[in-house]
């Protein structure tokens, strides 16, 4: 008996990204991207893993789609590798790249599976990084050129488009903390990158509207519910600052057309505030059809005099965690959804990623009994259900991830998939969580 039934038209899907699963890093005319380069530098990635082969999805996509069909999964979010389309980032088009994605999209549609495409999931063509990457306004225009070609080629086939995946991660992990490609450590650069990414987002949304395409377009943000370690004034302020740093900076720009005043003031004092114009903000505020959110965990923060630049540090609580070391905190998803509904005019929301890494093993029967992942998914879906009951316009849920895959700086050491991948043989093993999720989809809800 279905105890928690979701709305009839609720979108149930799974998600992946190009660099994390495709492999074929130098095949069929694809150009080098910043992750090809970043992973080639020893020490950047766990055991120097890279995405050269990954899950070899570039060659195995048909059998992978057959698994989606077998599980009754009717929506699949994936990203396009920009350098497969424009090897140099702009100008010369690689037809083999276009042909690959056309085969992939048609294979999905043939199985009754609706594609949702992310245009940018971190894999900038290296040639563009060589001219400054996202610090260079030219790259904004090259992104628009790339998006326009994708809309022309696939706009009539693909109902859901996501301009960018997690601009906060691209700017902060890639340009402030340096743990992601391109490995820069400069907050001022990071915020300039964030601004140009948001500009490129707004320009592409405007372009999409001008092409009278029938689908929906939005952006995906990684968001977290922020809690202060104590009720002290300093810790409460630390939580407000971290909420501004991770959430409100992007949400307010995109949905309200202005960066939050408190954060502009702080960044200006820190001399890391990027330059921008009112026209920029108007472009960034272009109306979107949905907000994509990636939720994994909450953040508990405190005031920390020595923490540059925000004087905020994260607590590492002794609570149940996933293999990523992220606290399992399902209620944070409910809190986030309610806050977004209240503070951003009830905008339609898609959960474009939620899931968990656990140290999966294949048992003696050749099965993966991942009850921990089922528990994580159950608890988070219950919170999503509660948010819907409380009025949130939550329209869908894409589980991260379809396949075990390359988890960026962690390499292949972290398994998020509901399908196990043996990287030595490329064999797929459907985990128990996949069969559980298949039932959720079939029942359009969760049973006790
Ligand atoms: O860390 C898990 C996921 N988070 N969001 C972006 C994805 O590319 C990651 O694999």
């Amino acid at each position: 008996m279905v105890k928690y039934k979701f709305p009839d038209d609720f979108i149930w899907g799974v998600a992946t990204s190009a660099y994390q699963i495709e492999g074929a890093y130098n095949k069929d005319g694809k150009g080098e991207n910043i992750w090809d380069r970043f992973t080639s530098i020893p020490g950047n990635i766990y055991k120097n893993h890279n995405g050269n082969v990954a899950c070899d999805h570039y060659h195995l996509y048909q059998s992978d789609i057959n698994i989606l069909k077998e599980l009754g999964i009717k929506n699949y979010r994936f990203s396009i590798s920009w350098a497969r389309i424009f090897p140099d980032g702009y100008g010369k088009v690689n037809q083999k790249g276009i042909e690959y994605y056309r085969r992939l999209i048609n294979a999905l549609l043939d199985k009754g599976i609706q594609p949702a495409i992310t245009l940018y999931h971190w894999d900038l063509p290296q040639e563009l990084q060589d001219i400054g990457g996202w610090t260079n306004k030219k790259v904004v225009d090259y992104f628009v050129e790339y998006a326009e070609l994708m809309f022309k080629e696939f706009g009539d086939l693909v109902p859901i488009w996501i301009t960018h995946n997690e601009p906060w991660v691209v700017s902060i992990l890639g340009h402030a903390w340096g743990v992601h490609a391109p490995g820069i450590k400069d907050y001022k650069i990071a915020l300039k990158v964030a601004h140009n990414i948001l500009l490129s987002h707004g320009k592409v949304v405007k372009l999409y509207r001008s092409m009278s395409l029938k689908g929906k377009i939005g952006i995906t943000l990684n968001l977290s519910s922020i809690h202060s370690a104590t009720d002290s004034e300093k810790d409460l302020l630390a939580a407000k600052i971290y909420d501004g740093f991770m959430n409100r900076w992007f949400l307010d720009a995109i949905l309200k057309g202005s960066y939050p005043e408190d954060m502009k003031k702080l960044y200006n004092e820190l001399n890391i505030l990027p330059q921008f114009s009112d026209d920029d903000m108007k472009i960034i505020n272009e109306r979107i059809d949905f907000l994509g959110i990636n939720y994994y965990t909450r953040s508990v923060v405190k005031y920390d005099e020595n923490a540059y630049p925000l004087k905020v540090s994260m607590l590492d609580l002794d609570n149940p965690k996933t293999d990523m070391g992220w606290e399992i905190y399902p209620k944070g998803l409910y809190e986030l959804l309610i806050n977004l509904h209240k503070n951003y005019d009830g905008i339609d929301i898609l959960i474009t990623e939620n899931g968990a890494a656990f140290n999966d093993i294949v048992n003696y029967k050749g099965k993966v009994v991942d009850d921990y992942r089922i528990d994580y998914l159950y608890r988070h879906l219950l919170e999503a259900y509660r948010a819907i009951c409380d009025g949130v316009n939550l329209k869908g849920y894409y589980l991260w991830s379809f396949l075990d895959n390359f988890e960026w700086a962690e390499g292949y050491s972290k398994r998020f998939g509901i399908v196990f991948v043996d990287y030595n043989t490329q064999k797929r093993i459907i985990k128990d969580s996949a069969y559980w999720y298949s039932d959720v989809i079939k029942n359009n809800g969760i049973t006790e």
Side-chain angles (χ1 to χ4, degrees), residues 17 20 121-122 165-166 294 296 324 326 353 400 405 407-408 416:
S17 87
Q20 294 178 271
H121 200 121
W122 307 356
N165 183 75
E166 302 180 350
N294 293 350
Y296 288 93
M324 291 293 282
W326 299 345
E353 288 180 29
W400 186 270
N405 60 55
E407 179 53 30
W408 309 111
F416 275 91

Side-chain angles (χ1 to χ4, degrees), residues 340-373:
L340 290 171
H341 184 73
K342 267 192 324 198
N343 299 331
Y344 298 97
D345 300 327
I347 185 165
D348 283 359
I349 295 171
L350 284 175
I351 294 173
T352 39
E353 288 180 29
N354 173 249
F358 288 109
N359 185 19
D360 299 316
I361 56 161
V362 182
N363 71 15
Y364 70 98
K365 295 178 187 169
K367 303 286 183 198
V368 179
V369 182
D370 56 338
D371 287 346
Y372 282 111
R373 186 171 287 105

